Amino acid sequence: MATLFDHIKNITTTKGAYLGDEGWNNWMINRFLSMDPSYCEVVNIVQKNTWQMKGENLYNLYKDLIPKQYKYLKYIKASKKVDYKPEEIEAVQSYFEISKKEAKEYINMIDKTELETIKQQINGIYN
């Protein structure tokens, strides 16, 4: 019973025969391999052109492309969840006439002083 990590180890270090489809996921294999900066460009090229490829064929391609060496592939995950203030979301949403999801994205990009100005303008309209 092979896991995703068994497949990664097989690609990068053992270079043995394909372990079978169990635990194999093209997308996750690409994602983990891309965590190493030296593999990132190769993975980018490969995933654009092989997303429908059978697991065994993709395995053989990576086995030939990636050198035999142990690499710690640190999985990078999203940072902490940001808690948005409802009044900020509503102000930005109203000001730009956008959805709540877009308003959260805007809040991440807007300077704090600009956000305060927007809140004041919107609150001034409704008060």
Side-chain angles (χ1 to χ4, degrees):
M1 184 166 160
T3 67
L4 173 70
F5 303 105
D6 294 330
H7 289 292
I8 297 292
K9 182 179 179 184
N10 205 20
I11 289 170
T12 58
T13 57
T14 57
K15 303 282 187 182
Y18 181 62
L19 300 174
D21 289 333
E22 188 173 340
W24 182 273
N25 180 311
N26 286 1
W27 187 82
M28 288 301 293
I29 296 293
N30 288 331
R31 184 172 177 135
F32 266 90
L33 290 175
S34 70
M35 295 296 150
D36 186 300
S38 60
Y39 300 157
C40 196
E41 191 172 337
V42 170
V43 172
N44 187 39
I45 293 167
V46 167
Q47 74 181 356
K48 287 180 185 176
N49 301 304
T50 60
W51 60 273
Q52 286 179 270
M53 190 178 269
K54 288 185 177 184
E56 184 173 9
N57 296 332
L58 185 59
Y59 166 77
N60 287 325
L61 179 63
Y62 275 136
K63 184 175 85 167
D64 293 338
L65 288 173
I66 293 177
K68 183 178 182 178
Q69 61 183 344
Y70 174 78
K71 287 270 192 163
Y72 176 69
L73 303 172
K74 182 177 179 171
Y75 188 80
I76 302 168
K77 53 186 174 183
S79 59
K80 294 180 182 179
K81 184 178 177 181
V82 178
D83 289 329
Y84 299 96
K85 296 178 182 173
E87 63 274 6
E88 289 179 349
I89 295 172
E90 291 171 12
V92 171
Q93 186 179 3
S94 178
Y95 185 81
F96 291 106
E97 297 178 359
I98 55 176
S99 70
K100 282 186 179 184
K101 181 180 177 182
E102 291 172 313
K104 290 176 183 178
E105 292 174 7
Y106 278 44
I107 290 170
N108 291 334
M109 295 183 284
I110 295 174
D111 183 64
K112 296 296 178 194
T113 56
E114 187 177 351
L115 181 58
E116 284 302 315
T117 303
I118 290 170
K119 282 175 29 181
Q120 289 171 0
Q121 288 178 357
I122 294 300
N123 290 335
I125 293 171
Y126 295 118
N127 290 338

